[in-house]
Amino acid sequence: MKKTLFLLPLLAAFVTGCPSNSLKTADSEAKPDLLYAALDTTVAPGDDFFSYANGTWIKNNPIPASESNMGIGRKVQDEVYARLRQTSEEAAKANAAAGSNQQKIGDFWAVGMDSVKADQLGAAPIQPELDRIAALKSVAEVPGVIAHEIPLGVRALIGPRVGQDDKNSDKMVLYLRQSGLGLPNRDYYFNTDTRTKNIRAEYLKHVANTFKLLGQDSTTAKANAARVMALETSLAKSSRKLEALRDPYANYHKMSIAQLDKLTPGLDWKTWFGQMGVPNADTVIVGQPEFYQTAGQLLKTKPLEDWKAYLTWQLTATFAAQLSQPFVQENFHFYGTVLRGAKEIRPRWKRVLDMQEDALGDALGQLFVKEYFKPEAKARYDTLVKNVVAAFAEHIQKVDWMSAPTKVVALDKLHKITPKVGYPNKWKDYSSLKIDRSSLAANVMRANQWQWQYQLNKLGKPVDRTEWEMTPQTYNAYYNGSNNEIVLPAAAFAVPGLLDADADDALVYGYAGASTIGHELTHGFDDEGSQYDAHGNLHEWWSKDDRKRFNQRVAGIVKQFNGYTLLDSLHINGRATAGENIADLGGIVIGLDAFKKTKQYKEGKKIKGLTPTQRYFLGYALGWQMHVRDESLASQLLTDVHSPAQYRVNGPMADVPAFYEAFGVKPGQKLYRPDSTRVVIW
């Protein structure tokens, strides 16, 4: 994926200050230039290109108290929110036909915004599920309760999902992944630094406070919190690290149901899957067998009271944001403030819109593209995709480390990548989803159930390769290895504060061509995506020598990013972030060659004293125009396969000779790397 930290809608205006800048020349135009206005020319490009490109914008756009970061996506989402809010308010007032998308949007919004009703209900919306857990008489009944909660959206203990078989992309199969933790990942349970130890202590308090909100006395709540922590720590011990989850072969273990039963003695998976609504699964792909061995053992060794505490916690944590204010605030305090550093909770209407996006994203998407993604914009980006693909093909042909036979297969894969631009040709049908004004939590539960059933219905049926996994109003993009496709939502192309027609090619090729299109194309050829063939199957299509030479280059970028230190002592995980770092570097060099074919590049005219090539690199940096609270940054370093924004700019730029030439980067400057150490892949 292109973006990190958040998935946000896009399209709005913003205002930046204009620095006193020696680059201002007679050819400067009267209208504001968004790249020029963001510059901080007190910083040398060769020392910190990220701060040079974005410094003034960052100074003029502090992080709001309700946010853990502020960036280009955060700034622009407010106007989309305003538009979606108006749409939702109008739908809530309309006498829409029962079952229509307008009725669902309106009712979801109306009950979501009714904070008085939510406070009156308290935990009542989840009380039947709490009662189900409280009624457990033996550990043997625990799997049945877990199975009941899976469709509701609770991922206690196990993590089933439906997806394409990595080795047979024409077949939809059931996967089992590690799951069931309340902290972001396994490292939070074991790291011994002061920051993480404090988070563990705060987590224990948070779980106990949540139990108190459910009516437990302080002593009982603390005891149950300790039970939760102990059980989750056992699961965490058998959970794989972030970087280990990126190896598709190591996380692919196809098993029959009988083999799965043998892996977890005492569990009857056929019955268990049946309780989840899974239709006659004969095989399953287990990502992390050791995790499920532990899960099976825990179901034999942990006492019933531990399971009651754990299931109660997992259920309540899943729906806390939809309950009364005490639950909402307690949930925010830990996950928003302790983990992410936000000082105050976001306005209710924005939180409701986020929930509505999760529940009815395609219904909102139809309205979005009709008004905000015009045919001429789609045509521009369809053409841009073709130009970047052509540039990538030239790069594959020219690389000196890949043999001619492998190049033939690589080019075949590249030309078979399906680009999906803007929005899907067909939308999800929500006719079977019931949305009413009973409670916000009830609507979220039913939406989760609908989504679970939607996924289960794919089993045993032909793969729908036309489907999108993001809505068009999402500020993000992705490469799907199983479909060999790049998916580019309409919002990913919008430039805040600038009409598409007014954006010069340099900006567009850097912002969209490099950081989005080229980035996603390169994911098909990064350390993970390169293991999938043109049809989307996990299959080695490289020669051994080519793979060896490629891996040597990957090792170079891993070493480079391992060397970046943040927050005094924390390091980027070069192995976990390798795929994204490769895609960033690939996107930049491929996008640049595509840009070199444009009229703007060939004419070489300056805008605000900036050459076309300089504007191209600044356009790329525009995509990472953000700053982040320390708490959020620390969390990202442990949980995210994307490097922090500053290093998604400075890291790859340090490897690009054209960047050195464009900005006169010299030995002794902080970004300078000798030729011999610069990473060259695509």
Side-chain angles (χ1 to χ4, degrees):
M1 292 185 183
K2 173 197 171 189
K3 299 296 179 187
T4 184
L5 299 182
F6 49 85
L7 306 182
L8 296 173
L10 185 63
L11 266 165
F14 74 96
V15 179
T16 62
C18 184
S20 174
N21 192 328
S22 60
L23 288 176
K24 190 168 184 179
T25 63
D27 70 341
S28 297
E29 300 176 11
K31 65 180 179 182
D33 181 78
L34 126 121
L35 296 180
Y36 175 81
L39 295 179
D40 180 355
T41 56
T42 67
V43 179
D47 284 333
D48 182 354
F49 185 63
F50 173 85
S51 296
Y52 167 78
N54 297 316
T56 293
W57 187 94
I58 289 172
K59 290 173 185 175
N60 292 339
N61 292 275
I63 301 173
S66 62
E67 306 296 347
S68 59
N69 60 68
M70 170 51 71
I72 190 169
R74 290 282 184 212
K75 194 72 175 177
V76 300
Q77 74 171 337
D78 284 341
E79 189 162 322
V80 168
Y81 274 157
R83 290 165 178 166
L84 294 179
R85 181 179 188 176
Q86 181 178 353
T87 298
S88 298
E89 288 175 341
E90 290 172 354
K93 295 174 184 175
N95 187 22
S100 66
N101 281 347
Q102 187 181 33
Q103 174 264 311
K104 297 181 201 300
I105 291 171
D107 283 0
F108 193 103
W109 173 261
V111 75
M113 289 303 296
D114 193 346
S115 60
V116 174
K117 182 171 188 174
D119 289 345
Q120 290 173 342
L121 289 172
I126 63 169
Q127 195 60 52
E129 303 307 320
L130 292 170
D131 292 343
R132 188 188 305 274
I133 296 167
L136 284 167
K137 295 295 191 295
S138 69
V139 175
E141 297 174 342
V142 168
V145 172
I146 292 174
H148 177 80
E149 292 185 355
I150 290 290
L152 298 178
V154 183
R155 290 298 181 265
L157 189 63
I158 61 175
R161 71 171 182 86
V162 175
Q164 287 164 271
D165 187 331
D166 275 342
K167 295 186 178 180
N168 181 6
S169 64
D170 289 327
K171 185 176 181 180
M172 301 299 293
V173 294
L174 188 67
Y175 280 84
L176 286 175
R177 302 285 191 182
Q178 64 188 45
S179 188
L181 303 181
L183 287 168
N185 70 12
R186 70 173 311 284
D187 290 343
Y188 281 86
Y189 294 85
F190 305 115
N191 285 6
T192 57
D193 61 281
T194 302
R195 181 182 285 104
T196 308
K197 287 167 67 175
N198 177 64
I199 288 173
R200 278 199 295 274
E202 290 292 328
Y203 181 59
L204 266 174
K205 294 178 187 175
H206 169 56
V207 178
N209 287 341
T210 301
F211 283 134
K212 291 177 188 176
L213 292 175
L214 292 172
Q216 296 180 11
D217 62 57
S218 181
T219 301
T220 303
K222 288 182 179 178
N224 281 331
R227 291 186 173 101
V228 170
M229 179 61 98
L231 200 156
E232 289 185 0
T233 301
S234 296
L235 291 174
K237 285 179 182 176
S238 295
S239 297
R240 295 185 184 179
K241 286 181 171 287
L242 185 64
E243 59 269 27
L245 294 172
R246 295 192 62 251
D247 184 336
Y249 283 99
N251 290 278
Y252 183 99
H253 306 274
K254 183 176 282 189
M255 300 181 182
S256 66
I257 299 302
Q259 289 172 318
L260 184 57
D261 285 345
K262 187 176 181 180
L263 180 72
T264 57
L267 285 178
D268 177 2
W269 282 93
K270 183 175 181 179
T271 299
W272 206 4
F273 284 143
Q275 291 171 326
M276 297 176 211
V278 179
N280 300 319
D282 55 354
T283 60
V284 63
I285 297 173
V286 180
Q288 302 77 34
E290 68 278 13
F291 176 87
Y292 280 89
Q293 285 180 314
T294 295
Q297 291 166 0
L298 291 174
L299 283 168
K300 292 192 294 185
T301 58
K302 287 288 184 178
L304 180 60
E305 290 307 307
D306 287 16
W307 288 108
K308 284 186 174 182
Y310 172 73
L311 293 176
T312 298
W313 157 244
Q314 287 283 323
L315 171 72
T316 310
T318 300
F319 298 106
Q322 289 93 49
L323 300 178
S324 58
Q325 187 61 21
F327 287 96
V328 171
Q329 196 60 46
E330 178 59 39
N331 180 70
F332 166 74
H333 170 70
F334 180 74
Y335 289 104
T337 300
V338 175
L339 278 182
R340 311 293 291 179
K343 307 303 180 186
E344 62 185 42
I345 198 165
R346 303 175 78 205
R348 185 176 185 89
W349 66 273
K350 289 185 177 181
R351 289 180 276 128
V352 172
L353 283 177
D354 287 344
M355 298 173 203
Q356 190 171 257
E357 167 74 12
D358 289 340
L360 296 162
D362 267 29
L364 295 168
Q366 293 177 64
L367 302 174
F368 179 87
V369 298
K370 185 182 296 184
E371 187 172 354
Y372 304 122
F373 197 60
K374 303 300 183 184
E376 54 269 27
K378 188 176 189 309
R380 181 178 194 177
Y381 292 104
D382 282 335
T383 300
L384 184 56
V385 169
K386 292 176 183 176
N387 293 346
V388 177
V389 168
F392 200 173
E394 293 175 1
H395 274 254
I396 291 174
Q397 291 165 340
K398 291 177 182 177
V399 292
D400 60 5
W401 53 266
M402 180 180 275
S403 65
T406 302
K407 286 183 180 180
V408 171
V409 186
L411 288 167
D412 178 62
K413 175 176 180 177
L414 174 67
H415 290 304
K416 286 180 177 174
I417 290 177
T418 300
K420 295 179 178 177
V421 180
Y423 51 88
N425 293 323
K426 62 180 180 180
W427 303 94
K428 290 183 173 68
D429 178 4
Y430 295 110
S431 57
S432 62
L433 171 59
K434 179 185 176 183
I435 298 292
D436 60 24
R437 303 193 183 193
S438 57
S439 76
L440 177 59
N443 283 337
V444 171
M445 283 185 191
R446 285 193 291 263
N448 290 344
Q449 288 174 311
W450 181 92
Q451 182 63 32
W452 174 248
Q453 192 58 51
Y454 178 84
Q455 296 299 327
L456 290 183
N457 287 342
K458 297 178 181 180
L459 292 171
K461 296 177 183 176
V463 173
D464 181 3
R465 293 181 184 261
T466 69
E467 186 176 3
W468 285 49
E469 294 177 11
M470 284 180 180
T471 62
Q473 65 270 26
T474 301
Y475 185 50
N476 210 325
Y478 66 91
Y479 170 76
N480 178 349
S482 293
N483 272 357
N484 195 30
E485 66 182 5
I486 55 172
V487 182
L488 311 166
F493 298 122
V495 180
L498 191 67
L499 293 175
D500 184 72
D502 291 335
D504 62 303
D505 276 343
L507 185 154
V508 169
Y509 272 78
Y511 180 77
S515 79
T516 304
I517 300 167
H519 176 99
E520 300 306 339
L521 287 171
T522 306
H523 270 315
F525 302 88
D526 68 16
D527 61 323
E528 186 173 2
S530 65
Q531 299 183 72
Y532 293 81
D533 64 22
H535 195 66
N537 292 318
L538 193 56
H539 165 71
E540 182 59 280
W541 50 271
W542 303 57
S543 72
K544 288 185 179 179
D545 287 342
D546 288 329
R547 178 62 73 179
K548 181 179 179 181
R549 286 189 288 267
F550 174 74
N551 286 340
Q552 288 172 342
R553 283 157 176 76
V554 173
I557 208 164
V558 169
K559 181 180 179 181
Q560 177 185 347
F561 278 81
N562 276 340
Y564 294 133
T565 304
L566 298 82
L567 300 178
D568 299 325
S569 61
L570 297 182
H571 290 261
I572 294 176
N573 185 332
R575 176 57 61 185
T577 60
E580 298 298 332
N581 299 332
I582 292 167
D584 286 338
L585 177 57
I588 291 169
V589 297
I590 293 160
L592 178 59
D593 277 0
F595 173 58
K596 286 180 179 180
K597 293 180 171 61
T598 65
K599 179 181 178 182
Q600 182 182 7
Y601 176 82
K602 291 175 181 177
E603 289 182 344
K605 294 180 181 178
K606 292 182 178 181
I607 299 175
K608 295 286 189 180
L610 298 166
T611 68
T613 304
Q614 288 174 330
R615 290 182 64 80
Y616 168 82
F617 287 123
L618 291 169
Y620 174 83
L622 175 66
W624 305 112
Q625 194 174 67
M626 66 174 72
H627 54 136
V628 185
R629 296 192 191 279
D630 287 352
E631 296 90 341
S632 183
L633 182 57
S635 176
Q636 182 186 351
L637 291 170
L638 285 180
T639 63
D640 202 331
V641 296
H642 303 79
S643 297
Q646 182 174 356
Y647 292 91
R648 298 194 71 171
V649 176
N650 289 345
M653 289 300 170
D655 294 318
V656 179
F659 167 72
Y660 286 68
E661 181 180 347
F663 290 97
V665 181
K666 305 294 184 185
Q669 291 190 293
K670 294 177 182 178
L671 295 186
Y672 183 87
R673 291 165 62 85
D675 289 351
S676 60
T677 65
R678 294 177 199 167
V679 178
V680 179
I681 303 179
W682 296 111

